[in-house]
Amino acid sequence: MGSLEVTAGVKATRKLRLGMVGGGRGAFIGAVHRMASRLDGRYQLVAGALSSDPRRARASGRDLGIARDRCYASYQEMAQKESRREDGIDAVAIVTPNNVHFKPAKIFLEAGIHVILDKPLTTTLQEAIALEKIVRKSRLIFGLTHTYTGYPMVRQAREMILGGALGQVRLVEVEYPQDWLAVPLEKSGNKQAQWRTDPKRSGPAGALGDIGSHAYNMACFVTGLQCEAVAADVQTFVPGRKLDDNIHVLLRFKGGAKGMLWASQVAVGCENDIRIRVFGDKASLEWRQEEMNYLKFSRYGEPSQRLSRSGVGSMSSAVHASRVPAGHPEGYIEAFAQLYTDLAEQICAHIDGRRPDPASLLVPGVVEGVAGVRFIDAVLRSSRRNSAWMRLI
Amino acid sequence: MGSLEVTAGVKATRKLRLGMVGGGRGAFIGAVHRMASRLDGRYQLVAGALSSDPRRARASGRDLGIARDRCYASYQEMAQKESRREDGIDAVAIVTPNNVHFKPAKIFLEAGIHVILDKPLTTTLQEAIALEKIVRKSRLIFGLTHTYTGYPMVRQAREMILGGALGQVRLVEVEYPQDWLAVPLEKSGNKQAQWRTDPKRSGPAGALGDIGSHAYNMACFVTGLQCEAVAADVQTFVPGRKLDDNIHVLLRFKGGAKGMLWASQVAVGCENDIRIRVFGDKASLEWRQEEMNYLKFSRYGEPSQRLSRSGVGSMSSAVHASRVPAGHPEGYIEAFAQLYTDLAEQICAHIDGRRPDPASLLVPGVVEGVAGVRFIDAVLRSSRRNSAWMRLI
Amino acid sequence: MGSLEVTAGVKATRKLRLGMVGGGRGAFIGAVHRMASRLDGRYQLVAGALSSDPRRARASGRDLGIARDRCYASYQEMAQKESRREDGIDAVAIVTPNNVHFKPAKIFLEAGIHVILDKPLTTTLQEAIALEKIVRKSRLIFGLTHTYTGYPMVRQAREMILGGALGQVRLVEVEYPQDWLAVPLEKSGNKQAQWRTDPKRSGPAGALGDIGSHAYNMACFVTGLQCEAVAADVQTFVPGRKLDDNIHVLLRFKGGAKGMLWASQVAVGCENDIRIRVFGDKASLEWRQEEMNYLKFSRYGEPSQRLSRSGVGSMSSAVHASRVPAGHPEGYIEAFAQLYTDLAEQICAHIDGRRPDPASLLVPGVVEGVAGVRFIDAVLRSSRRNSAWMRLI
Amino acid sequence: MGSLEVTAGVKATRKLRLGMVGGGRGAFIGAVHRMASRLDGRYQLVAGALSSDPRRARASGRDLGIARDRCYASYQEMAQKESRREDGIDAVAIVTPNNVHFKPAKIFLEAGIHVILDKPLTTTLQEAIALEKIVRKSRLIFGLTHTYTGYPMVRQAREMILGGALGQVRLVEVEYPQDWLAVPLEKSGNKQAQWRTDPKRSGPAGALGDIGSHAYNMACFVTGLQCEAVAADVQTFVPGRKLDDNIHVLLRFKGGAKGMLWASQVAVGCENDIRIRVFGDKASLEWRQEEMNYLKFSRYGEPSQRLSRSGVGSMSSAVHASRVPAGHPEGYIEAFAQLYTDLAEQICAHIDGRRPDPASLLVPGVVEGVAGVRFIDAVLRSSRRNSAWMRLI
C-alpha cells in the first residue's frame, strides 16, 4: 500500500493514500492540512470531497491534481466508493466547519478508514460522547489536530513535567489572545469571521470553542493533569455578535494545582499569542508560540535557562519532532506536519499489525476531543450561573 | 522652612524636613524610602523613631546622622515633640509592618504632620475607613507608596487611556508573580518572610496584601476604572503557612470591562514581575516592570509600537516623572523617588497656600488605600464562599 | 510534464520532476532540500545520484522511493540518461560538498537540465566565473540556495529599502555567529565538522565560506547595494584547525554606505544567529533569524514598530512568501521551500515559454554566487595583507 | 568633616563636601552628577563655579541652595578659596565640555582637592599624559565617570571573566549606537548637539570621543584585557558636520583576542544602546544597557542562563553595587551613583589614612582616561591612513 519514502532522511516508510473532506477553493485550513501532510512525504492526496457544492468540489479537486473519478460530490459518496477500491484511501482528513465534524467522522470510521479531524471534536457533548464510542468500536486511528501539541518544545515541556522536572505542579497559567475579531468583521463579508461567529456552524461557543479549546488542551497536554472544575466569566464585547469573544476561567486540577485560562478574540495587538506557564514546587516552564523554539526553564534558586529546540538538553520527544538543527526555527506548519507524520506511523503500524513507535503516540485523539467539548460545555454552564464552579470529572 | 534646592535641574524649591517611623538597622524598605527621599534633593531626614526597641532606635538614628535629641524611643514621643519644635518635621514616613500603620498615621496627622505611609493602608477595613476620615478632617497631605505608580511609563499608560487612546476599555489583565516564598522561608529565620506570613503583623492577607494589592492598585490607576466585583480563588501552597501565597481573581469593572488578576509568591522563576495589559476597542497597552522604560502600544490594524521613556511621543505625565534621556534606564528607586518628589510639591504648596503642580497629584492617597483594603477584604470573602462574586462598590 | 497541483491553495500548476546529486544516507542538507521541495507540492523526486559510493547511492534511492533504474551510480550517468528520457527530470538539486559543485552543475546545464545548487557557488573564483558563463550560455534556470533570502520578512526588508523606506542607506551591520566549532569537533568524528574544516572539500575558506558568505549575501540582498571593498581580519582560534573559524570585516558599499560583517563558528552561546541591521538617513530595519517573522522598523523621530509576517502593512514580496496567517510562525524549512517554489515557477515559465511571476525572481542565482566567491577571495587576500582594503568591483 | 550617614542602610560613614565646576542652568550632565551624588547620601553640595558666565553661575548656585559666598565666578577662584577654608570642599565634580577638563582638574589637584571628572579625560593625548603625571604626583583620588562601569551586572561580567568563567577570551564585540545626530541637529539650535559637534569644545573626535570612548572603556573594563592595536574606518554622514558621527573599528587585544567596535550617532532607532558580548573558549557573556539588570551567560554545551542583578549567583562586585532586591530594576542614575559612592569610600579612606574597601576600587581613573584618549588618537590616525593598523601599546 503506497510507495516507500523516508521521513527527514531517517527511515524508509510506506506512503499513505489520503482523502480530504472540505478544504476546497477559498478555504483556509484545508491548505494547511495539505502542506502538513506533504512536508515529511508520508501521504499522497488522492481523493476529495472538497466542497459541499459539487461543482466547486470538482474544480478544487482538479486544482490539486486529484483524478477525476476521485473528486466526489459528497463525503458519503467518497466514503462508500473509496472503501471499495483496492487502492482506496488509507485515511481521511476532515477540515469542515465544526457542525460538519460528527457525521463524516462517523461515516468514514464505519467505512474502515482512519480519521484525522480538525478540532473541536463536535459542537455538542452528546455527539462527542457518541463519537468516542464509535472510535473505540472501530479500533481505527483517530487524530484530532490540536496543532500546538506538535511543537517540539511543547512536547519537551510535557516530557519534563511528567518526568518530575518541576516537582509537584501548583499553577497553570494559560492564555490564547487574538485580535482579529475586535471589530465586527463578520458583518463585512469575511468568511472566516462569518462561520466562526455563527452558532449554526460553530456551535454554542465562539472564542471559547475556536481557541479556548486549544488553550485548555495545551494546559492538560503539557501538565498531564486532569482539570476537575472551572469557574468562568464569558463575554461578548462586540455588539451584535451572537457568540462569545472573550473568556476568563479559573481552573482547579486534580491533585491540587490551580490555574487561570484566558482566551480572547478581541485582544487588540495579539495575533495568535498562545502561551503557557507551569509552576511546580521545584521549577517552572514557560512556552509561547511567538518563540516556539524555546522554553524558559527556571529551577528554584537557580538562574533561568533558555532551552532551545534541538539544542543542548533536548529531550527525546522534542528530538523526535524536530527536522533541522538548533537555531533554525521550525514553525507552525512543522508542528502541524508532526501530527500528520505521527499519525502516519500509527496508521502504518495498524496496517502492519505491529506496535507503533511510542514517540508517535502524543497526538490528541478522541479522548482529548471529548475533554475539550466537556470543557466548553462546563464553561458555558458556569458563566450562565454567574461563574459558579462546575465539575468536569 | 528648609533650604532651597532644585529638582533635577528644573526649579528651585524648599527642602523639607522629614522624620521616619521604622526602618532602623536590619530593615529593608526604610532604606529604600530614604534613597527615594534623597534622590531629587527635596527632603532632609532630621528625626526618627526607627525601631520599637529604643536602643536600636537610637543606634540607627546615629548611623543616619540624626541629631541625638531627635532620635526618639517611640513614634508617640516623636509626634509630640516634633510638633512643638519650630524646626519640627514637615512630614513623616511610616515604614513599619502593616499592623503598625494605623496608629502612627493617626497620631502624626492629629499632630499636624503630613504623612507618607507604606502600603497596605491598614490590616482591617474598619481601620481603613477610620483613617480615611482622619485624613479628610486633617486636610493634610497623605501619600501611600504604591511605588509602581511612580514609573513614568505607568503614568503615561494612564494618561493615554484616560485620553482615549485605547477607546473603550474591555479587558484588564494584571499580574504580580514572585517566587521567593515558594519554599517555607519563614521557618528558616528570614525576617522578611516571617512578618509577611504572620497574621499578627501582616493582617489576614499574605501575598494578597503584600503584592495583590499592588496589582489591584495598578489596574485601577492605569485604567482609571472602578472595580465593581471580584470572584476569587485563594490558595496556600506551602504546607504550614498561615496566610495565602497565591490568588486568582476574576474582575468586573464599572462600565463593562472585565479582567483577571494573579498574584503569587510561589511562582518559581519570577522575581518581581508585575505587569499589566489593557485592551480597548481601538488599541492596547502593555507594561512590565522588567522593561519598565517601555510601553507596547498596539492600535487595531496597525503594527505594534514600542514607546520609550523620554522618547518620541512621550506624554507630559511621563516627562514630568523622568530625569535622564531616553535609553538611559530609570528604575525602581526613581519611581519611588517620584512619589516623594510629588508629595514634596504637594506639601510645599500646602505650606505656601498655593495650588500644587497638577502633575504632582498622581500619588495614591487614602482613597486608594481604602480601595485596596476593600479589595483584600472582598477577595477573602469571595474565596471563603467558593469564589462567589463579591461587590466592591 | 508532471501532474497538476496547487501551491498553498492558490493556483493549479505543473508538478516538476526533480533529481538529486548527493544527499544520501547520513547527509544532512539533502533531507532539508527534499522537505523544501515537498512543502508546496511543486516537485516530485524521481531520480538520484545520492552518494559517490554506488552501493550507498542505490540504498538511499530505495529509501526515498526512487525507481531502481533511476538510482544512478554517478551524476555523470544520471545527467546522460535522464536527459534522454521522455519523462526525464526537469531540474536537479546538487547538495554535495563545495568541491563537488562546479562539475555536476556544468554537466547538468550542458544536458539541458535546470540546476538548484547549494551555496557557495564554487571553491575558486576561476570556477565561479567559468560557471557563470556556462549558465548564461545555457539560458536555463539556475538557483543558489541562500536560504535566508526565502524568509518573508527578509524579502519585505528588501522591498522596503529598495522602495525608499529608509532613505539613503548609511550603515549595514550584519553578523552570523555560531558556536558549534568552538571546540575541535572535527577531531572527534563529527562528519559535518570534518568536511567543513577540510580545505580539500570546502576550499580555502572555513567559517568565511560556510556562513560568512550567507551574511554577505544577506547584506547585498536586503540593501540592493554593491559592496565595493573589504578590509578583513581573519582568525583560526581552535588549535590545529586548517581553516578560519572567525572573520571580522569592514565593508564599503557603492554610494557611500559603510558596514561591518562578523561571522564566527566559535561564538559560544550562538546557534545560527544570523541578523542584519540597516540604517538609512530616514529609518532603520532590523531582522534576526531567531525572530524570523518580525522586523523592527524605526523611523527617525517616531517610536519603533514591530512588523509581523502577514500582519498589517505586509508588503507584496512577504505575502508572496507566506503560507499561514500572522502569529503562526513560519521557519527555516518554509524559507527554503520558498526558493524551491519560486524556482518551480521560473522553470514552468521557461517550459511554457512565458514570463514568470515577477515575485518569483528573488532567488539568488549565478551572479550572486560569483559575488559570494569574489567576497571570499577578497577577504582572504585582505587578511593576508594585514587588513588592507581590497576592491570587489 | 561632614555629618554621618548610612549607605543604603549598610554602615555609617562621613558625608563629604562637594563642589561642582559647570552644570549650571541649562546644562544636562551636571544635574545627573548631582542626583548621583545624593542617592546614597555620601555628599553634600556646598560650593560651585557652575557657569563660565558669572551671573548665571551665581543664579544656578542659588537654585541649588549653595551659600552666596560659595558661588564662585570662576573655578580658579573656587579652588583657591575652598582650599583655604577649614570647611572647604573635599572633592570637586568637573562637568564642563571636554576642552575644559584639563585645566580645572590640574588646578584642583594642585589645590589638594580630590577630583571627579566627566569623560573623556582631555581633548589631546599630550594633555592626557600631562594630567596623568599630575594625578600621580598629587596622590589624590581621581575618578573618571565612565558611568556604565557602575552597573552591577557590568561589574559582575568583569568579575566572572577575570575569575575565568569564560576561559580564554577570544572575541569582544562591543557597540554603542545612538540616533539623535542622524540629522543636523547642531544647526537647529540644540546646545548639546552644538558643543558635541564643535571641534573647539569637543576636540578632534565626535561620536568617537563622546560614545566610542565609552564602548572602548567597556571592552577593556569587562575583559580586563589591553587593546594592542586598532584599524578604523571613520565617517561623517551628516553633510556639513565637522566631526565624525560613526566609527567602525577592528580590535586586537594582547593575548590574542580579537574584536569589533561600532559607535554611531546616526543609527536611527537606537537611543543609548550600548552593549557588549564577550566570547571565551568555554563560555560567553552578553550585556545591554536596555536590559541592564541581566546578563546572558552561555557555557559551551549548556543552555544559556539569564543572570539577574541581586538574583541567584550574584557575585560580590554586583552585590556591592546593588541597592534593592532582584526584579526591581536599578538604572542609569544608580550606576552613576555607584561611582560617586565608591569614590566617597576612597576619599574617606584617604582622609582617614586607611585602606579603602577593595570593592570600591573599580571606578575608572586617570589610567583609563589616558587609555581612552590614546584610543581616540589611534582611531583617527588609522582612519587617515585608510584603516591601517595602529598600535596602542
Side-chain angles (χ1 to χ4, degrees), chain B residues 247-370:
Chain B
I247 59 164
H248 285 144
V249 189
L250 301 176
L251 307 169
R252 290 180 181 163
F253 293 90
K254 214 170 156 178
K258 312 291 176 187
M260 295 205 306
L261 182 153
W262 171 46
S264 185
Q265 291 179 319
V266 301
V268 174
C270 300
E271 293 177 336
N272 281 286
D273 201 3
I274 182 169
R275 45 178 139 174
I276 187 165
R277 290 173 287 176
V278 183
F279 302 88
D281 58 4
K282 288 188 192 154
S284 70
L285 275 172
E286 182 171 347
W287 180 86
R288 182 181 183 182
Q289 186 174 222
E290 290 198 358
E291 299 166 25
M292 69 287 169
N293 281 220
Y294 303 94
L295 280 180
K296 185 183 166 200
F297 175 50
S298 309
R299 287 199 198 89
Y300 185 78
E302 297 186 19
S304 288
Q305 294 186 340
R306 189 190 195 217
L307 308 180
S308 74
R309 188 191 52 72
S310 296
V312 181
S314 289
M315 302 191 78
S316 63
S317 60
V319 171
H320 167 77
S322 291
R323 291 158 189 82
V324 288
H328 284 126
E330 293 193 39
Y332 178 80
I333 300 173
E334 288 87 334
F336 216 125
Q338 193 57 39
L339 303 188
Y340 265 88
T341 299
D342 284 340
L343 289 168
E345 164 61 11
Q346 292 182 36
I347 294 167
C348 288
H350 186 278
I351 292 167
D352 298 345
R354 62 170 170 84
R355 309 201 121 204
D357 176 355
S360 76
L361 297 176
L362 290 178
V363 186
V366 77
V367 171
E368 289 76 11
V370 172

Side-chain angles (χ1 to χ4, degrees), chain B residues 38 65 271-272 308 329 332 334, chain D residues 4-5 271 308 326 329 332 334:
Chain B
R38 278 196 299 258
E271 293 177 336
N272 281 286
S308 74
Y332 178 80
E334 288 87 334
Chain D
L4 289 175
E5 184 150 356
E271 292 177 336
S308 74
Y332 177 80
E334 288 88 334

Side-chain angles (χ1 to χ4, degrees), chain B residues 6-29:
Chain B
V6 84
T7 297
V10 191
K11 57 178 191 288
T13 43
R14 167 176 295 113
K15 198 158 189 168
L16 297 169
R17 283 185 288 261
L18 181 69
M20 183 169 276
V21 177
R25 287 181 177 180
F28 157 64
I29 202 68

Side-chain angles (χ1 to χ4, degrees), chain D residues 18-267:
Chain D
L18 181 69
M20 182 169 277
V21 177
R25 287 181 177 179
F28 156 63
I29 202 68
V32 178
H33 276 259
R34 289 193 294 269
M35 285 187 281
S37 74
R38 279 196 300 257
L39 183 67
D40 293 327
R42 301 290 302 264
Y43 295 86
Q44 191 165 11
L45 182 65
V46 296
L50 299 164
S51 172
S52 51
D53 166 354
R55 190 174 304 186
R56 174 179 274 183
R58 265 171 230 281
S60 302
R62 269 201 309 279
D63 287 350
L64 294 164
I66 296 175
R68 245 173 190 279
D69 64 324
R70 297 178 89 172
C71 292
Y72 299 99
S74 75
Y75 59 82
Q76 291 89 344
E77 184 197 351
M78 175 167 151
Q80 193 186 49
K81 295 203 172 151
E82 286 292 324
S83 65
R84 288 182 192 157
R85 290 179 74 117
E86 196 157 329
D87 66 348
I89 55 173
D90 298 302
V92 67
I94 301 171
V95 299
T96 43
N98 304 350
N99 66 323
V100 193
H101 282 188
F102 176 73
K103 277 195 195 160
K106 180 174 185 295
I107 285 174
F108 281 95
L109 288 167
E110 289 174 354
I113 292 166
H114 303 287
V115 167
I116 301 171
L117 179 65
D118 214 68
K119 49 60 51 190
L121 192 69
T122 59
T123 52
T124 69
L125 185 50
Q126 205 179 355
E127 278 183 354
I129 292 168
L131 188 53
E132 189 178 11
K133 279 187 197 150
I134 296 164
V135 171
R136 285 187 194 283
K137 200 176 144 195
S138 76
R139 299 179 161 261
L140 292 170
I141 304 304
F142 183 89
L144 193 72
T145 53
H146 273 301
T147 322
Y148 310 104
T149 64
Y151 276 113
M153 297 315 274
V154 169
R155 292 188 171 190
Q156 171 148 341
R158 176 185 162 90
E159 188 175 351
M160 290 176 75
I161 292 173
L162 268 58
L166 266 54
Q168 175 85 8
V169 171
R170 288 171 169 172
L171 296 169
V172 184
E173 313 291 330
V174 65
E175 61 185 58
Y176 194 154
Q178 295 180 332
D179 74 356
W180 67 299
L181 291 178
V183 296
L185 218 56
E186 63 269 40
K187 292 184 183 159
S188 54
N190 181 301
K191 298 218 163 177
Q192 290 291 324
Q194 281 172 347
W195 81 258
R196 283 173 209 260
T197 58
D198 176 1
K200 285 184 198 140
R201 284 175 283 175
S202 276
L208 167 57
D210 197 21
I211 56 175
S213 59
H214 274 308
Y216 180 73
N217 178 260
M218 174 68 74
C220 299
F221 179 82
V222 161
T223 63
L225 294 176
Q226 263 193 295
C227 188
E228 224 168 41
V230 294
D233 202 21
V234 172
Q235 294 89 33
T236 302
F237 281 107
V238 172
R241 182 162 291 161
K242 289 175 188 156
L243 295 174
D244 65 274
D245 49 26
N246 188 81
I247 60 166
H248 286 144
V249 189
L250 301 176
L251 306 170
R252 290 179 180 162
F253 293 90
K254 216 170 156 178
K258 312 291 177 189
M260 294 204 308
L261 183 153
W262 171 46
S264 185
Q265 292 179 320
V266 300

Side-chain angles (χ1 to χ4, degrees), chain A residues 4-6 8-9 12 28 31-32 34-35 38-41 62-65 148 151 176 271-272 289-290 292 294 306 308 311 323-334, chain C residues 4-6 8-9 12 28 31-32 34-35 38-41 62-65 148 151 176 271-272 289-290 292 294 306 308 311 323-334:
Chain A
L4 289 174
E5 187 153 352
V6 83
F28 157 64
V32 179
R34 288 192 295 271
M35 285 187 281
R38 277 195 302 256
L39 183 68
D40 293 328
R62 267 201 311 279
D63 288 351
L64 293 164
Y148 310 104
Y151 276 113
Y176 194 155
E271 293 177 334
N272 282 284
Q289 186 175 222
E290 289 198 358
M292 70 284 168
Y294 303 94
R306 189 190 194 215
S308 74
R323 290 158 189 82
V324 288
H328 285 126
E330 293 193 39
Y332 177 80
I333 300 173
E334 288 88 333
Chain C
L4 290 174
E5 185 153 353
V6 85
F28 157 63
V32 178
R34 288 192 295 270
M35 286 187 281
R38 277 196 301 258
L39 184 67
D40 294 327
R62 269 199 312 278
D63 288 352
L64 294 164
Y148 309 106
Y151 276 113
Y176 193 155
E271 293 178 334
N272 281 284
Q289 186 174 222
E290 290 198 358
M292 69 286 167
Y294 303 94
R306 191 190 192 216
S308 74
R323 290 158 190 83
V324 289
H328 284 127
E330 293 193 39
Y332 177 80
I333 300 173
E334 287 88 334

Side-chain angles (χ1 to χ4, degrees), chain C residues 179-207:
Chain C
D179 74 357
W180 67 298
L181 291 177
V183 297
L185 217 57
E186 61 269 39
K187 291 184 183 159
S188 54
N190 181 302
K191 298 218 162 178
Q192 289 292 323
Q194 280 171 348
W195 81 258
R196 283 173 208 260
T197 59
D198 176 2
K200 284 183 198 140
R201 284 175 282 175
S202 277

Side-chain angles (χ1 to χ4, degrees), chain B residues 192-213:
Chain B
Q192 290 291 325
Q194 280 171 347
W195 81 257
R196 283 173 209 259
T197 59
D198 176 2
K200 284 183 199 141
R201 284 176 282 175
S202 276
L208 168 57
D210 198 17
I211 56 175
S213 60

